[in-house]
Amino acid sequence: MMTNKLIARLMVATALTAAAATGTAFAAGQQDAAMAGAAKAGTATNDDAITSKIKASLADQKQIGVTTADGVVTLSGSVASTDVGTKAIQVASAVPGVKEVKSELTVASK
């Protein structure tokens, strides 16, 4: 009889340990997902900040559009000369957090 109770207690302890481990793994998975979501939100916030800084630096060039995705900046629109386009690319490249600048700028014909 003592052996049966001991076996029953061991089985319950094993079941509880397995349940706790499963719960811990589930919680860890949820935490990882939350961290990934936070990182993605942080990237979006950083992209918005990069875009804002570049637009502020190019305030006199309203015709230049600026978008940022994962630190990659895309400049678009029409500029008066290649010098203006080159300057815009240099300004964008100098902003912290910018990984790459893609130019879709065109030079306006006179």
Side-chain angles (χ1 to χ4, degrees), residues 5 9 17 22 27 33 48 56 62 69 78 80:
K5 284 185 179 181
R9 286 182 182 165
T17 302
T22 302
D48 291 343
K62 303 273 187 218
S78 181

Side-chain angles (χ1 to χ4, degrees), residues 30-40:
Q30 282 185 323
Q31 184 178 10
D32 289 345
M35 295 291 279
K40 191 168 202 161

Side-chain angles (χ1 to χ4, degrees), residues 48-99:
D48 291 343
I50 290 170
T51 299
S52 294
K53 287 177 186 176
I54 294 170
K55 284 183 176 182
S57 296
L58 298 174
D60 59 332
Q61 300 294 325
K62 303 273 187 218
Q63 73 280 9
I64 298 177
V66 181
T67 57
T68 308
D70 296 326
V72 178
V73 175
T74 302
L75 302 177
S76 59
S78 181
V79 293
S81 68
T82 55
D83 290 341
V84 173
T86 301
K87 174 83 170 134
I89 293 167
Q90 291 171 342
V91 166
S93 297
V95 172
V98 172
K99 296 176 185 173

